[in-house]
Amino acid sequence: MTPGSEKTLVSYAQPNAAEHVTATKVASRSSYMTLGKSRLFVSGTFLSVLLVFVVLSVVYTGSSSNGLLCVDSKTHTTVQNNSVLHPEMRIRFRGTKRRLPQCIIIGVRKCGTRALLEFLNLHPQIQVAAQEVHFFDEEDNYDLGLEWYRKKMPFSFPNQITIEKSPSYFITDGVPEKIYHMNSSVKIIAIFRDPTTRAISDYAQILDHKRSKNKTYHTFEELAIDEESGLVNTKYKAIRISVYHRFLQRWFEVFDSKQIHIVDGDRLITDPLSEISNVENFLGLDHRVTENNIHFNESKGFYCMRNETQEKCLKSSKGRKHPSVSPDVLDKLQRFFQPHNQQLFEMIGQTFNWPAPRAMLQ
């Protein structure tokens, strides 16, 4: 190997100091740029996660209603999606707050209050309290004050109506006055069914409960008909509640008749859209609940709620099978309720197509 060639080899194997420094700087810059990019990536990821967390912490709450709402930030209008069918989902948006109800469904028990509330919940300008609050009829709750009650309401936009329902409001003394004291302009909705059917439905619910607890129970006939006199047992609560006019009179004594709307519970079962439309008129809302939102479920035998992607029906305890009742007892009950029904019709200025006693059909 010649000396020149040896130098050449040494020159390639061991670069001079200047070249070494230059190479080191380039490598350092490259490493620094790579590290900088990594830090930027990590920082960006962290900020993204932080932003999502902040948004969720602002948006998500544990006690709203009506589920997810797609919000137009310019118009504050709302478009429903799947979660409207599930008011147990809780989402809050900016510009919303909890408000005392502007409308209350006061009853009647076993007349379709839950179905009515669920149907109305389909309307984009309505927000509903998912649970019965029992503020005005339970003293322990009432003593907690209106602020406690307000916090039980869903979040809503200013252009939305908040609705609460507790069926026992209808029959409880002092409730009309308490509600009037909260808001003298509140709107009241009551829903009635054929009183005989309502009484049997009331019995059926209690019967299921007793059977589930392995408790003894009486037949409907034993409770509804006094054994000694053979007359309708007016001490039986299911019968008393079905005498609607006696309870409704209290509400008319406190509220203007224009503030009270009556829903035909039997028609709500067979033709829900017509009854919902009437409620929309009463509340001053556009007609937004249509045949696209309601579907007759053949297997269940009643109407269910739906949107573009899913369907929701009331739970299995709703629409439970009624016990068989003898025709003689049914006729006796219908004859008992007939004059009371007439007083109700005169009070509200409308009639319902409820079964008449056999004597009136002959």
Side-chain angles (χ1 to χ4, degrees):
M1 182 178 291
T2 64
S5 62
E6 184 178 359
K7 284 183 178 179
T8 303
L9 288 172
V10 171
S11 175
Y12 279 108
Q14 297 178 356
N16 61 37
E19 291 174 338
H20 177 71
V21 170
T22 301
T24 302
K25 286 182 178 179
V26 171
S28 298
R29 286 176 183 172
S30 178
S31 300
Y32 178 78
M33 290 176 67
T34 302
L35 179 61
K37 289 180 179 179
S38 299
R39 286 177 176 173
L40 286 173
F41 175 78
V42 171
S43 298
T45 303
F46 173 77
L47 289 175
S48 298
V49 172
L50 180 61
L51 179 60
V52 170
F53 176 80
V54 170
V55 170
L56 287 176
S57 67
V58 171
V59 169
Y60 187 83
T61 68
S63 47
S64 177
S65 178
N66 219 26
L68 295 169
L69 298 175
C70 302
V71 182
D72 184 327
S73 59
K74 294 183 179 180
T75 63
H76 281 181
T77 56
T78 56
V79 181
Q80 297 162 303
N81 69 359
N82 294 352
S83 59
V84 173
L85 301 182
H86 300 280
E88 66 277 7
M89 299 180 68
R90 316 301 190 190
I91 300 296
R92 180 186 178 184
F93 290 94
R94 290 182 180 179
T96 65
K97 68 177 184 180
R98 300 182 194 274
R99 293 172 170 82
L100 290 171
Q102 301 102 314
C103 177
I104 299 178
I105 299 174
I106 60 172
V108 175
R109 167 185 165 89
K110 307 314 300 174
C111 285
T113 57
R114 173 54 60 181
L116 177 62
L117 191 74
E118 295 287 354
F119 284 135
L120 293 178
N121 191 42
L122 294 167
H123 200 292
Q125 286 182 270
I126 290 177
Q127 291 281 7
V128 305
Q131 303 296 326
E132 295 175 5
V133 183
H134 291 284
F135 177 66
F136 297 101
D137 62 316
E138 294 186 4
E139 288 300 326
D140 289 344
N141 290 341
Y142 191 69
D143 289 342
L144 295 173
L146 284 175
E147 184 62 14
W148 178 88
Y149 183 49
R150 186 184 67 81
K151 290 181 179 179
K152 296 294 183 181
M153 296 301 110
F155 287 96
S156 64
F157 286 102
N159 67 333
Q160 292 180 314
I161 294 175
T162 298
I163 300 180
E164 188 247 323
K165 77 104 175 171
S166 294
S168 54
Y169 287 168
F170 180 70
I171 63 171
T172 305
D173 290 340
V175 169
E177 291 82 2
K178 290 177 180 177
I179 294 179
Y180 185 89
H181 181 71
M182 175 196 71
N183 180 4
S184 61
S185 63
V186 70
K187 293 190 175 183
I188 304 295
I189 296 177
I191 177 170
F192 300 136
R193 291 189 69 188
D194 164 43
T196 299
T197 303
R198 196 221 68 82
I200 297 172
S201 181
D202 200 327
Y203 169 81
Q205 176 173 313
I206 296 174
L207 176 64
D208 277 0
H209 178 73
K210 288 189 174 183
R211 282 175 171 170
S212 67
K213 301 291 184 179
N214 292 319
K215 293 183 178 181
T216 59
Y217 56 88
H218 297 282
T219 65
F220 177 76
E221 287 89 344
E222 290 172 335
L223 295 171
I225 305 299
D226 182 78
E227 185 178 5
E228 294 183 1
S229 67
L231 301 175
V232 172
N233 180 15
T234 56
K235 295 180 180 180
Y236 180 35
K237 187 175 182 179
I239 300 296
R240 293 202 317 271
I241 293 176
S242 289
V243 184
Y244 304 132
H245 70 92
R246 289 178 178 170
F247 300 101
L248 187 61
Q249 180 61 41
R250 304 172 184 173
W251 294 88
F252 278 118
E253 291 172 356
V254 175
F255 291 97
D256 188 286
S257 60
K258 294 180 181 179
Q259 292 176 246
I260 301 176
H261 177 73
I262 307 300
V263 174
D264 184 340
D266 293 297
R267 194 179 181 196
L268 183 69
I269 296 173
T270 60
D271 185 15
L273 274 180
S274 63
E275 290 300 316
I276 296 167
S277 177
N278 291 338
V279 174
E280 288 173 324
N281 291 335
F282 172 66
L283 296 177
L285 298 176
D286 294 334
H287 296 286
R288 299 291 296 277
V289 181
T290 70
E291 61 274 4
N292 295 325
N293 304 119
I294 296 176
H295 167 69
F296 186 80
N297 187 300
E298 295 287 349
S299 62
K300 292 183 177 294
F302 52 78
Y303 284 90
C304 298
M305 288 66 66
R306 71 176 180 184
N307 58 17
E308 293 83 358
T309 60
Q310 66 176 174
E311 176 181 296
K312 177 188 177 182
C313 295
L314 297 180
K315 59 185 181 180
S316 58
S317 62
K318 302 297 181 180
R320 61 172 56 85
K321 185 178 180 180
H322 290 180
S324 177
V325 179
S326 72
D328 288 340
V329 171
L330 290 176
D331 184 64
K332 188 172 289 188
L333 289 170
Q334 289 164 355
R335 282 189 282 115
F336 168 80
F337 285 122
Q338 197 277 330
H340 295 295
N341 295 344
Q342 192 58 40
Q343 290 186 61
L344 172 69
F345 299 156
E346 292 173 1
M347 182 180 294
I348 64 178
Q350 65 185 99
T351 60
F352 301 130
N353 188 28
W354 292 340
R358 285 180 298 186
M360 296 183 64
L361 298 176
Q362 294 176 352

